[in-house]
Amino acid sequence: MDVSSVSEGAGLRATSRNDFGALGRLVRREGLLDRRYGYYAVKISLTLLAFAGGCAAFVLLGDSWWQLLTAVFFAVMFAQVAFLGHDAGHNQVFRTGRANDRAGYAFGGIVGMSYGWWMGKHTRHHANPNHEGDDPDIDIPLLAFTRGQTEHKSGFVRWTSKHQAALFFPLLLLEGLSLHWAGIQAVWRGEVKTRWLEAVLLSAHVVVYLGAVFVVLSPPVALAFIAVHQGLWGVYMGCSFAPGHKGMPTYTDKTELDFLRKQVLSSRNVQGRRWVDFALGGLNHQIEHHLFPSMPRANLRRAQPLVRAFCAEHGIDYAQCGLLKTYHYVLQHLHEVSAPLRVAGAPAH
C-alpha cells in the first residue's frame, strides 16, 4: 500500500517537523543514547567464545554426518556475528567511527560479507525506508514489494514474483549465498572504500571456510554441511530482516513526510520477551532503531514505551505485533501485491 493513499487516521495528521526534536530530547534525557561498553564487552566475548567452541567441536567431531548439527549451530552463530557487525556499522559499540568500522570489518570477515558494501546499501535503506526506487531492500529482482514493481517483471522473475508468497521462505535459502556474492561483486568492481582490505578478508574467509570443511569432512558430508549451513543462515537472516518493513506502507517521491513519520509509518516492531531481542539481534525494535540508529541495542527495549507513548500523543500509528503474526502480514502483502500477475491474460513486459 502506498502511503499517499493512507487516510489521516493512519497517522499523517498534525505533521510537525519539530516532533522528532522533542522526542530526541526525551530519549537523551533518559540516557538511552549513552554507550553500553560493559554490555558489548560481554556480548562480543560470549559470541566469539561460542563461535570458537563450535570450531573446536567441528574439528573434534571429524568426518561424521553429525556435523549437520554443527552446521545448524554455525548458521545461528553467523547471524549473531552479523548482528554485531550491524551494531558496529551504526556506531553503537564504540565512541568513534574508526573503532566501530574496524570491528565491522572484522565481523564481516568472519561471516564472509563485505562490510563496505553492506554499509552503503544499509545507509540508503535507513535514509529512505520502503521508498520505491530509493530503498535497496525493496529492490529485489525475484520479488515485487509494490504494484509498480510488478509492471516491469518479465520472464523467470515474473514467474517468481507471481508466486512470491509461496516462494518467499524457500528463496531465503539462497540469501546467505546472495550476501556473499553481492559483497564479492562490489569488491571486484571497486565499489567499496577499502577495496584491498576487503579483498583480503573475503579471500581469507573463503580459503579458511572451504579449507576447513573439505579437510575435515569427506566430499559428500562437506557438501551437505555447506548446503545446510549457508541455507539456514540465509533463512535466519531473511526472517530477521523481513518483519521490520515488509508489508508496511511504501511511498514515492510524491509523498513528503517528516523524518519521524517516515521512519515510524514504514516500520513494524515485533513483540516478545528478551529471547526475541536475542534471536532478532534487536531488530524487533525496528521503530526505535530507525529513529535512533546509534542507540545501543541494549537500550532499545527501554526506549520502546517512550516512543510508543510519544507516537500515541501525536496521533502517529505505531505498528507492533507478535513474531508469527508479522510473517503472516509479510506473506499476505506479497500475495496481494502479486495479484495482477495472476490475472488470466495479464500482459508480460
PDB file of all heavy atoms in Angstrom, residues 17 25 36 52-54 61 82 92 115 119 121 166 171 177-178 184 192 228 230 242 272 323 339 346:
ATOM      1  N   ARG A  17       7.564  19.197  11.918  1.00  0.00           N
ATOM      2  CA  ARG A  17       8.972  18.824  11.802  1.00  0.00           C
ATOM      3  C   ARG A  17       9.719  19.014  13.119  1.00  0.00           C
ATOM      4  O   ARG A  17      10.884  18.664  13.229  1.00  0.00           O
ATOM      5  CB  ARG A  17       9.621  19.633  10.677  1.00  0.00           C
ATOM      6  CG  ARG A  17       8.995  19.329   9.320  1.00  0.00           C
ATOM      7  CD  ARG A  17       9.698  20.045   8.182  1.00  0.00           C
ATOM      8  NE  ARG A  17       9.026  19.806   6.923  1.00  0.00           N
ATOM      9  CZ  ARG A  17       9.215  18.741   6.156  1.00  0.00           C
ATOM     10  NH1 ARG A  17      10.067  17.815   6.538  1.00  0.00           N
ATOM     11  NH2 ARG A  17       8.566  18.599   5.017  1.00  0.00           N
ATOM     12  N   ARG A  25      15.026  14.840  22.565  1.00  0.00           N
ATOM     13  CA  ARG A  25      15.383  15.397  23.879  1.00  0.00           C
ATOM     14  C   ARG A  25      14.921  14.478  25.002  1.00  0.00           C
ATOM     15  O   ARG A  25      15.623  14.297  26.010  1.00  0.00           O
ATOM     16  CB  ARG A  25      14.777  16.796  24.037  1.00  0.00           C
ATOM     17  CG  ARG A  25      15.466  17.856  23.173  1.00  0.00           C
ATOM     18  CD  ARG A  25      14.985  19.239  23.518  1.00  0.00           C
ATOM     19  NE  ARG A  25      13.585  19.460  23.167  1.00  0.00           N
ATOM     20  CZ  ARG A  25      13.182  19.861  21.960  1.00  0.00           C
ATOM     21  NH1 ARG A  25      14.068  20.077  20.990  1.00  0.00           N
ATOM     22  NH2 ARG A  25      11.889  20.059  21.714  1.00  0.00           N
ATOM     23  N   ARG A  36      27.109   1.573  25.825  1.00  0.00           N
ATOM     24  CA  ARG A  36      26.990   0.457  26.767  1.00  0.00           C
ATOM     25  C   ARG A  36      28.220  -0.442  26.620  1.00  0.00           C
ATOM     26  O   ARG A  36      28.143  -1.558  26.101  1.00  0.00           O
ATOM     27  CB  ARG A  36      25.699  -0.323  26.506  1.00  0.00           C
ATOM     28  CG  ARG A  36      24.426   0.475  26.739  1.00  0.00           C
ATOM     29  CD  ARG A  36      24.167   0.694  28.214  1.00  0.00           C
ATOM     30  NE  ARG A  36      24.022  -0.559  28.934  1.00  0.00           N
ATOM     31  CZ  ARG A  36      22.864  -1.210  29.067  1.00  0.00           C
ATOM     32  NH1 ARG A  36      21.759  -0.720  28.528  1.00  0.00           N
ATOM     33  NH2 ARG A  36      22.810  -2.336  29.746  1.00  0.00           N
ATOM     34  N   ALA A  52      34.212 -19.931  18.748  1.00  0.00           N
ATOM     35  CA  ALA A  52      35.447 -20.706  18.863  1.00  0.00           C
ATOM     36  C   ALA A  52      35.158 -22.117  19.370  1.00  0.00           C
ATOM     37  O   ALA A  52      35.760 -23.101  18.910  1.00  0.00           O
ATOM     38  CB  ALA A  52      36.427 -20.001  19.797  1.00  0.00           C
ATOM     39  N   GLY A  53      34.222 -22.232  20.313  1.00  0.00           N
ATOM     40  CA  GLY A  53      33.836 -23.549  20.808  1.00  0.00           C
ATOM     41  C   GLY A  53      33.240 -24.405  19.711  1.00  0.00           C
ATOM     42  O   GLY A  53      33.503 -25.615  19.632  1.00  0.00           O
ATOM     43  N   GLY A  54      32.450 -23.795  18.850  1.00  0.00           N
ATOM     44  CA  GLY A  54      31.880 -24.521  17.727  1.00  0.00           C
ATOM     45  C   GLY A  54      32.961 -25.005  16.767  1.00  0.00           C
ATOM     46  O   GLY A  54      32.877 -26.122  16.236  1.00  0.00           O
ATOM     47  N   LEU A  61      34.826 -33.537  16.191  1.00  0.00           N
ATOM     48  CA  LEU A  61      33.809 -34.465  15.708  1.00  0.00           C
ATOM     49  C   LEU A  61      34.260 -35.181  14.450  1.00  0.00           C
ATOM     50  O   LEU A  61      33.924 -36.348  14.222  1.00  0.00           O
ATOM     51  CB  LEU A  61      32.492 -33.715  15.471  1.00  0.00           C
ATOM     52  CG  LEU A  61      31.242 -34.547  15.185  1.00  0.00           C
ATOM     53  CD1 LEU A  61      31.000 -35.556  16.315  1.00  0.00           C
ATOM     54  CD2 LEU A  61      30.037 -33.629  15.020  1.00  0.00           C
ATOM     55  N   ALA A  82      26.876 -11.365  12.501  1.00  0.00           N
ATOM     56  CA  ALA A  82      26.393 -10.344  11.567  1.00  0.00           C
ATOM     57  C   ALA A  82      25.633  -9.243  12.307  1.00  0.00           C
ATOM     58  O   ALA A  82      25.743  -8.063  11.962  1.00  0.00           O
ATOM     59  CB  ALA A  82      25.500 -10.977  10.499  1.00  0.00           C
ATOM     60  N   GLN A  92      27.119   1.895  17.388  1.00  0.00           N
ATOM     61  CA  GLN A  92      26.517   1.585  18.681  1.00  0.00           C
ATOM     62  C   GLN A  92      27.529   1.074  19.691  1.00  0.00           C
ATOM     63  O   GLN A  92      27.300   1.170  20.905  1.00  0.00           O
ATOM     64  CB  GLN A  92      25.421   0.521  18.513  1.00  0.00           C
ATOM     65  CG  GLN A  92      24.236   0.943  17.674  1.00  0.00           C
ATOM     66  CD  GLN A  92      23.213  -0.167  17.516  1.00  0.00           C
ATOM     67  OE1 GLN A  92      23.199  -1.117  18.298  1.00  0.00           O
ATOM     68  NE2 GLN A  92      22.374  -0.077  16.508  1.00  0.00           N
ATOM     69  N   TYR A 115      31.760  -5.565   4.469  1.00  0.00           N
ATOM     70  CA  TYR A 115      31.243  -4.537   5.369  1.00  0.00           C
ATOM     71  C   TYR A 115      30.988  -3.233   4.612  1.00  0.00           C
ATOM     72  O   TYR A 115      29.966  -2.566   4.831  1.00  0.00           O
ATOM     73  CB  TYR A 115      32.248  -4.318   6.501  1.00  0.00           C
ATOM     74  CG  TYR A 115      31.906  -3.187   7.454  1.00  0.00           C
ATOM     75  CD1 TYR A 115      30.870  -3.317   8.373  1.00  0.00           C
ATOM     76  CD2 TYR A 115      32.640  -2.002   7.438  1.00  0.00           C
ATOM     77  CE1 TYR A 115      30.573  -2.291   9.258  1.00  0.00           C
ATOM     78  CE2 TYR A 115      32.354  -0.976   8.324  1.00  0.00           C
ATOM     79  CZ  TYR A 115      31.319  -1.119   9.226  1.00  0.00           C
ATOM     80  OH  TYR A 115      31.029  -0.090  10.095  1.00  0.00           O
ATOM     81  N   MET A 119      27.399  -1.439   4.275  1.00  0.00           N
ATOM     82  CA  MET A 119      27.215  -0.103   4.826  1.00  0.00           C
ATOM     83  C   MET A 119      26.553   0.826   3.817  1.00  0.00           C
ATOM     84  O   MET A 119      25.635   1.592   4.153  1.00  0.00           O
ATOM     85  CB  MET A 119      28.561   0.480   5.269  1.00  0.00           C
ATOM     86  CG  MET A 119      29.016   0.027   6.638  1.00  0.00           C
ATOM     87  SD  MET A 119      27.999   0.718   7.971  1.00  0.00           S
ATOM     88  CE  MET A 119      28.482   2.450   7.886  1.00  0.00           C
ATOM     89  N   LYS A 121      24.659   0.013   1.222  1.00  0.00           N
ATOM     90  CA  LYS A 121      23.292  -0.436   0.998  1.00  0.00           C
ATOM     91  C   LYS A 121      22.394  -0.094   2.184  1.00  0.00           C
ATOM     92  O   LYS A 121      21.272   0.410   2.015  1.00  0.00           O
ATOM     93  CB  LYS A 121      23.307  -1.946   0.754  1.00  0.00           C
ATOM     94  CG  LYS A 121      21.943  -2.619   0.668  1.00  0.00           C
ATOM     95  CD  LYS A 121      22.130  -4.102   0.372  1.00  0.00           C
ATOM     96  CE  LYS A 121      20.807  -4.838   0.354  1.00  0.00           C
ATOM     97  NZ  LYS A 121      20.221  -4.942   1.721  1.00  0.00           N
ATOM     98  N   ALA A 166       4.339 -17.939  -1.907  1.00  0.00           N
ATOM     99  CA  ALA A 166       4.669 -19.349  -1.680  1.00  0.00           C
ATOM    100  C   ALA A 166       6.173 -19.591  -1.735  1.00  0.00           C
ATOM    101  O   ALA A 166       6.693 -20.489  -1.072  1.00  0.00           O
ATOM    102  CB  ALA A 166       3.967 -20.223  -2.714  1.00  0.00           C
ATOM    103  N   LEU A 171      13.050 -19.195  -1.066  1.00  0.00           N
ATOM    104  CA  LEU A 171      14.057 -18.322  -1.657  1.00  0.00           C
ATOM    105  C   LEU A 171      15.066 -17.826  -0.630  1.00  0.00           C
ATOM    106  O   LEU A 171      16.214 -17.517  -0.975  1.00  0.00           O
ATOM    107  CB  LEU A 171      13.391 -17.127  -2.350  1.00  0.00           C
ATOM    108  CG  LEU A 171      12.704 -17.406  -3.689  1.00  0.00           C
ATOM    109  CD1 LEU A 171      11.954 -16.163  -4.172  1.00  0.00           C
ATOM    110  CD2 LEU A 171      13.712 -17.853  -4.747  1.00  0.00           C
ATOM    111  N   LEU A 177      24.059 -17.077   0.336  1.00  0.00           N
ATOM    112  CA  LEU A 177      24.924 -17.043  -0.845  1.00  0.00           C
ATOM    113  C   LEU A 177      24.830 -15.689  -1.533  1.00  0.00           C
ATOM    114  O   LEU A 177      25.835 -15.178  -2.060  1.00  0.00           O
ATOM    115  CB  LEU A 177      24.544 -18.169  -1.810  1.00  0.00           C
ATOM    116  CG  LEU A 177      24.760 -19.596  -1.289  1.00  0.00           C
ATOM    117  CD1 LEU A 177      24.279 -20.610  -2.320  1.00  0.00           C
ATOM    118  CD2 LEU A 177      26.229 -19.833  -0.954  1.00  0.00           C
ATOM    119  N   SER A 178      23.640 -15.099  -1.534  1.00  0.00           N
ATOM    120  CA  SER A 178      23.458 -13.781  -2.152  1.00  0.00           C
ATOM    121  C   SER A 178      24.279 -12.718  -1.436  1.00  0.00           C
ATOM    122  O   SER A 178      24.889 -11.850  -2.074  1.00  0.00           O
ATOM    123  CB  SER A 178      21.975 -13.400  -2.134  1.00  0.00           C
ATOM    124  OG  SER A 178      21.778 -12.093  -2.638  1.00  0.00           O
ATOM    125  N   ILE A 184      31.310  -9.837  -2.881  1.00  0.00           N
ATOM    126  CA  ILE A 184      32.421 -10.151  -3.792  1.00  0.00           C
ATOM    127  C   ILE A 184      32.344  -9.284  -5.044  1.00  0.00           C
ATOM    128  O   ILE A 184      33.355  -8.730  -5.504  1.00  0.00           O
ATOM    129  CB  ILE A 184      32.395 -11.646  -4.165  1.00  0.00           C
ATOM    130  CG1 ILE A 184      32.742 -12.492  -2.933  1.00  0.00           C
ATOM    131  CG2 ILE A 184      33.363 -11.936  -5.315  1.00  0.00           C
ATOM    132  CD1 ILE A 184      32.555 -13.973  -3.142  1.00  0.00           C
ATOM    133  N   VAL A 192      33.775  -0.279  -3.092  1.00  0.00           N
ATOM    134  CA  VAL A 192      33.945  -0.079  -1.660  1.00  0.00           C
ATOM    135  C   VAL A 192      35.210   0.734  -1.415  1.00  0.00           C
ATOM    136  O   VAL A 192      36.133   0.734  -2.233  1.00  0.00           O
ATOM    137  CB  VAL A 192      34.024  -1.428  -0.910  1.00  0.00           C
ATOM    138  CG1 VAL A 192      32.706  -2.182  -1.033  1.00  0.00           C
ATOM    139  CG2 VAL A 192      35.165  -2.278  -1.443  1.00  0.00           C
ATOM    140  N   VAL A 228      23.466 -27.010   4.280  1.00  0.00           N
ATOM    141  CA  VAL A 228      22.667 -26.772   5.484  1.00  0.00           C
ATOM    142  C   VAL A 228      23.072 -25.458   6.141  1.00  0.00           C
ATOM    143  O   VAL A 228      22.214 -24.636   6.504  1.00  0.00           O
ATOM    144  CB  VAL A 228      22.825 -27.943   6.481  1.00  0.00           C
ATOM    145  CG1 VAL A 228      22.170 -27.601   7.817  1.00  0.00           C
ATOM    146  CG2 VAL A 228      22.219 -29.211   5.904  1.00  0.00           C
ATOM    147  N   GLN A 230      24.788 -22.702   4.921  1.00  0.00           N
ATOM    148  CA  GLN A 230      24.503 -21.494   4.155  1.00  0.00           C
ATOM    149  C   GLN A 230      23.010 -21.291   3.957  1.00  0.00           C
ATOM    150  O   GLN A 230      22.509 -20.153   4.003  1.00  0.00           O
ATOM    151  CB  GLN A 230      25.217 -21.548   2.797  1.00  0.00           C
ATOM    152  CG  GLN A 230      26.725 -21.599   2.882  1.00  0.00           C
ATOM    153  CD  GLN A 230      27.328 -20.330   3.462  1.00  0.00           C
ATOM    154  OE1 GLN A 230      26.765 -19.252   3.352  1.00  0.00           O
ATOM    155  NE2 GLN A 230      28.492 -20.461   4.094  1.00  0.00           N
ATOM    156  N   ALA A 242      12.888  -9.322   7.417  1.00  0.00           N
ATOM    157  CA  ALA A 242      11.563  -9.128   6.831  1.00  0.00           C
ATOM    158  C   ALA A 242      10.530  -8.496   7.760  1.00  0.00           C
ATOM    159  O   ALA A 242       9.759  -7.632   7.327  1.00  0.00           O
ATOM    160  CB  ALA A 242      11.039 -10.459   6.286  1.00  0.00           C
ATOM    161  N   GLY A 272       7.596  -9.386  22.176  1.00  0.00           N
ATOM    162  CA  GLY A 272       8.172 -10.607  22.727  1.00  0.00           C
ATOM    163  C   GLY A 272       9.103 -10.310  23.883  1.00  0.00           C
ATOM    164  O   GLY A 272       9.439  -9.155  24.148  1.00  0.00           O
ATOM    165  N   LEU A 323       5.601 -12.311  16.640  1.00  0.00           N
ATOM    166  CA  LEU A 323       6.532 -12.769  15.604  1.00  0.00           C
ATOM    167  C   LEU A 323       5.831 -13.525  14.490  1.00  0.00           C
ATOM    168  O   LEU A 323       6.039 -13.230  13.300  1.00  0.00           O
ATOM    169  CB  LEU A 323       7.611 -13.655  16.241  1.00  0.00           C
ATOM    170  CG  LEU A 323       8.723 -14.134  15.310  1.00  0.00           C
ATOM    171  CD1 LEU A 323       9.469 -12.957  14.701  1.00  0.00           C
ATOM    172  CD2 LEU A 323       9.699 -15.049  16.059  1.00  0.00           C
ATOM    173  N   ALA A 339      -1.012  -9.948  -7.145  1.00  0.00           N
ATOM    174  CA  ALA A 339      -2.313 -10.311  -7.713  1.00  0.00           C
ATOM    175  C   ALA A 339      -2.437  -9.994  -9.208  1.00  0.00           C
ATOM    176  O   ALA A 339      -2.948 -10.814  -9.971  1.00  0.00           O
ATOM    177  CB  ALA A 339      -3.435  -9.642  -6.924  1.00  0.00           C
ATOM    178  N   ALA A 346      -2.829 -11.557 -18.319  1.00  0.00           N
ATOM    179  CA  ALA A 346      -2.092 -10.338 -17.972  1.00  0.00           C
ATOM    180  C   ALA A 346      -0.861 -10.212 -18.846  1.00  0.00           C
ATOM    181  O   ALA A 346      -0.101 -11.176 -19.002  1.00  0.00           O
ATOM    182  CB  ALA A 346      -1.688 -10.385 -16.505  1.00  0.00           C
TER     183      ALA A 346
END
